Amino acid sequence: MARRTDFDPIIERNAKYITSMASGVADKVTKDMARGYMHGKRPEELMHDVLQRWPELTEWHARLIARTETSKASTALTKVRAKSAGLDWYVWRTSEDARVRTSHHHMDGVICSWSDPPSPEALIHEKSYGKYNPGEIFNCRCYPEVLLDYGDVSWPHKVYLGGRIRSMTLAAFKRLNGGKDI
Ligand SMILES: [Zn+2]
């Protein structure tokens, strides 16, 4: 289990994404959502929590916040666990349906690093929202699948590195990791 001290800074940063809310409120919402998520609450329950505390929000907005924050908290937790285990790589996974945005569809199956996440929009020459991991942006249902073993994926494989996606052989990827096991 991740220590709270590891988890909190990520949650705090996530609060900055809720730009449509007054500052201070956004902080509280994000922390509440993360806490709820840690206690196993589902997005629907979180939405009702949001509406109860901030009745001035529309149901649409509350649902958007609950979904987005659940997804961000989930990614934050995966990241903390992976990094504490020394696992720096993950595979970007989408929900693989028609609602996946083009920029994320483009990332589907690509190996990325926690230390250098992509700007999916910049990669397809759209307006960038900055660099982020799967699930860390509004309405995103993508998730990171931590790479536990070189054999988890087929080779050559797409790897995001230094601002672009390239096809890498297993040998090249191993060299990148100093020849060690992941
Ligand atoms: Zn997505």
Side-chain angles (χ1 to χ4, degrees):
M1 193 64 199
R3 284 171 300 139
R4 288 206 59 88
T5 44
D6 292 330
F7 195 52
D8 281 350
I10 304 171
I11 295 305
E12 248 154 60
R13 201 197 54 205
N14 286 347
K16 297 200 181 97
Y17 288 96
I18 312 180
T19 51
S20 52
M21 301 181 78
S23 63
V25 175
D27 260 22
K28 284 201 197 83
V29 173
T30 299
K31 282 178 184 158
D32 268 16
M33 295 291 100
R35 209 166 291 129
Y37 172 79
M38 298 282 270
H39 286 103
K41 286 197 179 179
R42 303 189 49 77
E44 202 68 13
E45 292 175 77
L46 293 172
M47 184 195 83
H48 289 297
D49 291 355
V50 172
L51 278 175
Q52 221 156 39
R53 287 192 62 174
W54 294 281
E56 69 275 18
L57 291 179
T58 63
E59 191 171 312
W60 176 86
H61 200 168
R63 180 171 284 123
L64 171 68
I65 290 167
R67 278 199 189 138
T68 303
E69 294 312 308
T70 300
S71 168
K72 281 179 191 164
S74 166
T75 294
L77 196 53
T78 303
K79 179 178 176 175
V80 167
R81 284 175 175 161
K83 293 204 87 168
S84 68
L87 299 164
D88 195 43
W89 301 96
Y90 65 79
V91 180
W92 187 299
R93 297 288 183 203
T94 69
S95 48
E96 294 184 334
D97 59 32
R99 280 161 55 212
V100 174
R101 63 192 93 184
T102 312
S103 54
H104 291 190
H105 180 68
H106 184 68
M107 291 307 301
D108 193 26
V110 176
I111 294 175
C112 303
S113 158
W114 295 115
S115 49
D116 179 28
S119 162
E121 286 69 34
L123 284 170
I124 59 164
H125 312 291
E126 281 183 1
K127 183 181 166 290
S128 178
Y129 292 118
K131 295 185 166 199
Y132 57 88
N133 298 298
E136 287 184 342
I137 197 161
F138 58 92
N139 261 348
C140 173
R141 295 162 302 139
C142 300
Y143 60 94
E145 187 180 279
V146 178
L147 198 62
L148 300 171
D149 191 277
Y150 292 118
D152 285 354
V153 292
S154 58
W155 298 93
H157 201 90
K158 284 188 206 169
V159 179
Y160 171 81
L161 198 64
R164 66 183 185 93
I165 297 171
R166 59 193 82 198
S167 176
M168 283 185 98
T169 62
L170 176 57
F173 189 69
K174 274 187 179 174
R175 270 200 302 280
L176 199 64
N177 289 285
K180 298 185 301 254
D181 283 349
I182 282 178

